[in-house]
Amino acid sequence: MSALSIRLPESLHKNAKVYASQEGISVNQLISTALAEKLSALATQDYLEQRAARSSRDKFMAAMAQVPDAEPDPMERK
């Protein structure tokens, strides 16, 4: 585990204390979790952009051609 010293606007720090208290966790845990969520979102965006860069309309159309042309099950229409 490493230590990091950051400066926060007073209003952000105040809100962090309130929400950490509501969740029953420390401000450090709240900030760590929030950062992990943000990093996960950024990594997901990078992954999707990389996948999109490798895509092609021809491959998409070939995959779609393999999907059977059938009506959905009546239970799935609801």
Side-chain angles (χ1 to χ4, degrees):
M1 192 76 62
S2 62
L4 177 65
S5 177
I6 61 170
R7 296 188 185 277
L8 297 174
E10 194 62 39
S11 61
L12 189 58
H13 190 198
K14 180 181 173 184
N15 282 330
K17 286 180 184 179
V18 168
Y19 286 109
S21 177
Q22 286 179 1
E23 293 294 314
I25 60 175
S26 69
V27 172
N28 282 348
Q29 287 174 303
L30 179 72
I31 292 171
S32 181
T33 300
L35 179 58
E37 288 177 12
K38 180 62 176 183
L39 292 175
S40 177
L42 291 171
T44 299
Q45 182 178 350
D46 285 347
Y47 171 77
L48 292 174
E49 288 173 355
Q50 290 169 5
R51 289 290 308 230
R54 296 191 333 241
S55 69
S56 77
R57 182 164 180 77
D58 291 339
K59 288 181 184 177
F60 173 74
M61 295 308 287
M64 291 303 292
Q66 295 179 23
V67 177
D69 187 17
E71 290 294 317
D73 184 284
M75 294 298 291
E76 294 176 356
R77 292 179 184 224
K78 293 182 180 183

